[in-house]
Amino acid sequence: MLFGASLVGLLLFSKLVLKLPWTQVGFSLLLLYLGSGGWRFIRVFIKTIRRDIFGGLVLLKVKGKVRRYLQERRTVPVLFASTVQHHPNKTALIFEGTDTHWTFRQLDDYSSSVANFLQARGLASGDVAALFMENRNEFVGLWLGMAKVGVEAALINTNLRRDALRHCLTTSQARALIFGSEMSPAVCEIHESLDSSLNLFCSGSWDPSTVPTGTEHLDPLLEDAPKHLPSCPDKGFTDKLFYIYTSGTTGLPKAAIVVHSRYYRMAALVYYGFRMRPDDIVYDCLPLYHSAGNIVGVGQCLIHGMTVVIRKKFSASRFWDDCVKYNCTIVQYIGELCRYLLNQPPREAETQHRVRMALGNGLRQSIWTNFSSRFHIPQVAEFYGATECNCSLGNFDSQVGACGFNSRILSFVYPIRLVRVNEDTMELIRGPDGVCIPCRPGQPGQLVGRIIQQDPLRRFDGYLNPGANNKKIAKDVFKKGDQAYLTGDVLVMDELGYLYFRDRTGDTFRWKGENVSTTEVEGTLSRLLDMTDVAVYGVEVPGTEGRAGMAAVASTTDSCDLEHFAQALEKELPLYARPIFLRFLPELHKTGTYKFQKTELRKEGFDPAVVKDPLFYLDARKGRYVPLDQEAYARIQAGEEKL
């Protein structure tokens, strides 16, 4: 701004005082501008103007539709009804496990029977029903049916057990729990501690001896329920649709609120930004209790009329065979899945498919080109976003390694920013005026998004527990008096405005496509080890995505039965949350507020040459912890040890 003011001042001086002709003044100012770095702006302008215009048009299109739907009080079920009307007999969902095909009419009928059944059982708009089920067509029909009568679904992570599962059910205040028969053992484990008024319904294969007492078989009840469209609830575009549980810095899973407008926005930005088509067929092998699988994937079916192929779980060996069988044109991924696919031996199917786009997040720059070239995928549609965030990004032109962009020319159009943080404490760094300091190109910083509650694209809906919102909101970020959402992620921007993911901040790290809460894992490990001090953190392992869990235990190895400990962890924690590495040391250093000091532990990692304390790693083949010596360390570094 100071440079611009100087140019204006020089212009006035040259014309009014020196009385030079306009051509001479203009030419002189142009030379001065270019000589002092202005050529960089012209270079950026030329290289990014097409990208920025396209991104701006996508944003305007989605914003226009959001405003209209807001005025008309549209909801996801209302938008889905329009999709059904356009092509009722087109295939909507295919479940790979049983090769079951549902048309849009069949999905509509099934969800309406769910709605009418729940209504007959006394559930009303604003009530909550929990859904605990592996991927299949019924999963979509169940939460959609709930939404038709205003019942809010709490989508429970199928990896959760015991305390975490009980926590999700109790905090949601669910009046009913619908679970798949495959989840019966997990429900039985906590049944005695659940509220006796909670209605239990089991979907799938039926064996009364394997479910808690009082459980009803849902499937025949839905067959007998009316299939007519129920009366619309008094809900609008910014009202609650469902809850997705995330693992954050507070320990146990938090219920992130997804409103109807957020569901539409996430699905629409991906659809228009990556130039999807109504005749595309999406291969969705991601969990439907997460936003990537249920909103970014299934949302294309409900909102835009695309066919979505649902797989129960990702399979590297069957991935391309499925794509060929169902003529898929778009596949969904998280970064770790891409690595698994590259590790597979070449097969015919990987060259016979019709996939033109890979859609997802977390694909590392180091394998990006290999992935797209080996599997002949023209477009890698990488994006950045979280269920609750208001600053999603999209790499609309397949820039290798980037998770999105923000215009360097018109940055104010999309109010996001990278702000400087203290690398040790991850606290925001502020200037003398108390406002956060923005990062320059090449300088890593935390991604933040300005909160404007009146704007459905910029609002922050937060969590079911309002107290959990405090750590995600900061004040005086862009200017005095404003509020911004803190992503907790460190990114870096290049000169052209492309953004690249660098790292996660706070007490979470990502492993096997899931966020791991160190607070939750520390609590579980400490309890299993007779309340011993335990610090959990993520460490980098060459050739893997995210960070592997490592636990530093303030105890001796003699006092811990590692074989029994590994068995106990299988019951207490999901696979992705179990620490891969263990370090036993005399004591853990703490801060003045009794927080573990993990910076040095992270730096030392799991190298036996650096760490003199006893080290162990979880041998995936043996299912137990074994000593980590220099030879084992070398195998892990070379990618020869399965983690």
Side-chain angles (χ1 to χ4, degrees):
M1 187 173 289
L2 183 63
F3 179 64
S6 302
L7 286 177
V8 173
L10 186 60
L11 173 80
L12 294 173
F13 179 79
S14 301
K15 185 63 184 172
L16 300 178
V17 179
L18 300 180
K19 300 187 183 300
L20 296 174
W22 280 111
T23 52
Q24 192 172 343
V25 171
F27 186 70
S28 301
L29 288 178
L30 178 61
L31 288 177
L32 178 62
Y33 177 71
L34 295 175
S36 52
W39 60 272
R40 291 192 183 91
F41 175 82
I42 295 175
R43 175 178 173 272
V44 169
F45 180 88
I46 293 171
K47 283 184 167 287
T48 64
I49 186 62
R50 286 186 63 187
R51 177 201 70 185
D52 291 357
I53 288 175
F54 175 74
L57 291 174
V58 168
L59 198 61
L60 284 173
K61 185 166 191 171
V62 173
K63 199 164 188 174
K65 286 178 174 286
V66 164
R67 282 179 178 169
R68 180 158 65 90
Y69 296 158
L70 186 62
Q71 292 172 350
E72 297 172 354
R73 291 180 59 81
R74 298 276 189 105
T75 60
V76 169
V78 172
L79 295 173
F80 173 67
S82 176
T83 305
V84 175
Q85 193 174 9
H86 278 92
H87 28 235
N89 298 317
K90 180 181 177 181
T91 300
L93 299 174
I94 301 172
F95 178 50
E96 176 277 335
T98 57
D99 200 35
T100 303
H101 291 57
W102 280 11
T103 65
F104 281 93
R105 176 64 68 200
Q106 288 173 309
L107 176 57
D108 189 38
D109 288 345
Y110 181 87
S111 57
S112 291
S113 67
V114 172
N116 290 312
F117 169 75
L118 293 177
Q119 204 168 47
R121 287 301 182 100
L123 273 75
S125 181
D127 287 335
V128 177
L131 184 55
F132 189 44
M133 179 184 290
E134 289 182 342
N135 285 9
R136 52 180 176 268
N137 294 355
E138 287 81 0
F139 187 104
V140 180
L142 285 164
W143 75 253
L144 181 60
M146 295 175 193
K148 284 186 174 183
V149 287
V151 173
E152 298 151 12
L155 309 181
I156 311 293
N157 187 324
T158 53
N159 289 295
L160 299 182
R161 297 293 183 272
R162 298 191 180 185
D163 289 348
L165 176 57
R166 186 185 301 110
H167 167 80
C168 291
L169 292 172
T170 53
T171 55
S172 69
Q173 297 183 323
R175 288 191 56 193
L177 167 61
I178 299 175
F179 61 94
S181 55
E182 70 279 2
M183 308 311 301
S184 296
V187 178
C188 287
E189 280 185 333
I190 64 167
H191 175 239
E192 294 299 326
S193 60
L194 296 177
D195 192 321
S196 58
S197 65
L198 182 68
N199 295 296
L200 300 178
F201 302 100
C202 177
S203 176
S205 59
W206 178 247
D207 181 355
S209 65
T210 61
V211 297
T213 305
T215 302
E216 297 181 71
H217 191 200
L218 182 65
D219 300 346
L221 297 174
L222 293 182
E223 287 177 10
D224 295 337
K227 292 180 173 52
H228 63 78
L229 191 66
S231 56
C232 290
D234 185 25
K235 288 221 173 192
F237 203 44
T238 54
D239 287 323
K240 294 174 185 175
L241 174 61
F242 53 57
Y243 307 104
I244 287 181
Y245 284 84
T246 63
S247 182
T249 57
T250 57
L252 291 167
K254 302 189 297 290
I257 298 170
V258 177
V259 299
H260 294 264
S261 62
R262 177 172 293 275
Y263 190 97
Y264 173 78
R265 172 179 67 84
M266 292 177 71
L269 285 172
V270 165
Y271 180 83
Y272 294 113
F274 293 120
R275 301 177 178 88
M276 293 180 175
R277 301 189 290 257
D279 61 346
D280 275 321
I281 300 175
V282 179
Y283 184 66
D284 187 351
C285 57
L286 304 182
L288 296 183
Y289 55 74
H290 273 176
S291 54
N294 200 359
I295 305 178
V296 176
V298 171
Q300 308 312 327
C301 166
L302 305 183
I303 306 296
H304 300 115
M306 292 162 58
T307 299
V308 174
V309 179
I310 296 173
R311 199 180 209 282
K312 185 170 78 170
K313 288 181 180 177
F314 166 77
S315 168
S317 61
R318 295 294 306 167
F319 190 92
W320 297 114
D321 292 320
D322 289 345
C323 291
V324 172
K325 179 179 179 179
Y326 295 110
N327 292 314
C328 298
T329 56
I330 298 175
V331 294
Q332 285 191 264
Y333 71 84
I334 55 172
E336 193 75 1
L337 303 192
C338 300
R339 187 173 63 84
Y340 293 153
L341 291 172
L342 282 171
N343 286 341
Q344 287 286 303
R347 62 187 72 230
E348 279 187 42
E350 69 185 51
T351 60
Q352 295 172 342
H353 62 78
R354 296 176 54 236
V355 175
R356 66 178 184 84
M357 181 193 304
L359 170 70
N361 61 290
L363 179 55
R364 286 198 175 188
Q365 191 165 354
S366 57
I367 65 169
W368 185 300
T369 304
N370 287 342
F371 178 77
S372 60
S373 60
R374 172 178 164 177
F375 300 122
H376 309 284
I377 301 176
Q379 182 184 3
V380 175
E382 175 86 3
F383 65 87
Y384 170 90
T387 303
E388 66 273 38
C389 90
N390 70 341
C391 45
S392 302
L393 304 169
N395 181 356
F396 295 158
D397 53 356
S398 296
Q399 173 72 11
V400 174
C403 61
F405 73 95
N406 197 28
S407 174
R408 295 291 314 282
I409 304 165
L410 302 169
S411 57
F412 61 88
V413 172
Y414 194 52
I416 67 168
R417 182 175 288 178
L418 298 184
V419 295
R420 291 181 58 190
V421 291
N422 182 307
E423 291 190 19
D424 291 323
T425 65
M426 300 316 296
E427 292 180 0
L428 300 172
I429 298 175
R430 300 178 181 272
D433 58 356
V435 176
C436 292
I437 301 174
C439 295
R440 298 186 301 273
Q443 191 174 39
Q446 182 173 179
L447 177 65
V448 298
R450 181 183 290 165
I451 296 173
I452 305 171
Q453 284 301 111
Q454 296 76 25
D455 183 351
L457 294 181
R458 307 254 41 87
R459 60 183 285 152
F460 173 60
D461 299 301
Y463 304 98
L464 188 58
N465 175 14
N469 295 334
N470 298 334
K471 289 187 177 181
K472 304 300 289 185
I473 298 176
K475 296 182 178 179
D476 305 331
V477 177
F478 290 78
K479 63 180 182 179
K480 276 287 185 181
D482 70 359
Q483 287 188 322
Y485 168 79
L486 303 175
T487 62
D489 291 329
V490 174
L491 282 71
V492 64
M493 178 189 283
D494 67 14
E495 188 183 25
L496 300 179
Y498 289 105
L499 290 149
Y500 303 83
F501 183 85
R502 176 66 65 87
D503 205 354
R504 301 190 74 82
T505 68
D507 286 326
T508 61
F509 60 90
R510 198 165 180 84
W511 180 245
K512 295 191 180 298
E514 299 277 355
N515 291 340
V516 180
S517 166
T518 59
T519 310
E520 179 186 347
V521 178
E522 285 167 356
T524 301
L525 267 58
S526 181
R527 176 165 54 81
L528 293 175
L529 297 170
D530 297 324
M531 305 313 291
T532 301
D533 279 349
V534 179
V536 174
Y537 45 97
V539 292
E540 291 186 346
V541 179
T544 65
E545 307 293 335
R547 294 173 183 267
M550 184 166 185
V553 182
S555 177
T556 62
T557 55
D558 297 335
S559 62
C560 179
D561 182 341
L562 289 178
E563 188 165 344
H564 174 73
F565 179 65
Q567 292 171 355
L569 283 181
E570 287 183 8
K571 296 180 180 179
E572 296 287 343
L573 291 173
L575 181 63
Y576 63 83
R578 296 169 203 160
I580 303 297
F581 303 103
L582 297 178
R583 173 180 178 177
F584 290 85
L585 66 173
E587 67 172 350
L588 288 170
H589 298 293
K590 301 171 188 164
T591 66
T593 54
Y594 300 98
K595 293 180 180 177
F596 295 123
Q597 294 179 327
K598 302 180 184 179
T599 305
E600 205 59 36
L601 294 171
R602 287 193 194 96
K603 287 180 181 177
E604 292 173 353
F606 58 97
D607 186 352
V610 176
V611 179
K612 301 309 176 185
D613 301 311
L615 292 171
F616 297 83
Y617 75 100
L618 185 59
D619 188 319
R621 295 179 181 85
K622 297 178 181 178
R624 57 186 173 87
Y625 289 96
V626 297
L628 175 57
D629 54 21
Q630 202 63 48
E631 186 177 331
Y633 177 77
R635 291 199 304 272
I636 293 171
Q637 292 293 102
E640 297 170 0
E641 195 74 38
K642 183 182 178 183
L643 298 179

